[in-house]
Amino acid sequence: DNIVNTILREDSLLSARLREKNLSFDDIALLDNPSVIRIIRETDPVEIEKALRTADYRVREKIMNNLSSEVSEKVRNNEGRPILIADIEAAQNRITGLLKKLMEQGEIAFA
């Protein structure tokens, strides 16, 4: 971990290449707010709701803070409903795919 963190801090070009190839759903926490909003706008609210079920608290907060109050309330109201882990993982994978696509197009940025 120390080696990777040092590379990420000291070599911005290599860091960008690593991020492009190894993006995960958790990387949403590292995006700036306009980028998070872009992802939200291109994602069905039901997918966001599913993806947030097992999300890291930093990712959850980053997304929840950028949702409209209406969608945010819907997500909170549906938290107790049962959902299959496979559905959660599929939603996270679709959002990660969108993240990669937007990153490759240079349309989103890390904070």
Side-chain angles (χ1 to χ4, degrees), residues 43-59:
T43 305
D44 184 312
V46 173
E47 291 292 296
I48 292 170
E49 182 182 326
K50 289 176 185 177
L52 289 177
R53 287 292 183 96
T54 61
D56 178 82
Y57 77 95
R58 293 170 298 164
V59 174

Side-chain angles (χ1 to χ4, degrees), residues 25 47-48 50-51 86-96:
F25 184 73
E47 291 292 296
I48 292 170
K50 289 176 185 177
D87 291 341
I88 294 169
E89 291 172 349
Q92 288 179 352
N93 288 336
R94 282 189 286 276
I95 293 170
T96 302

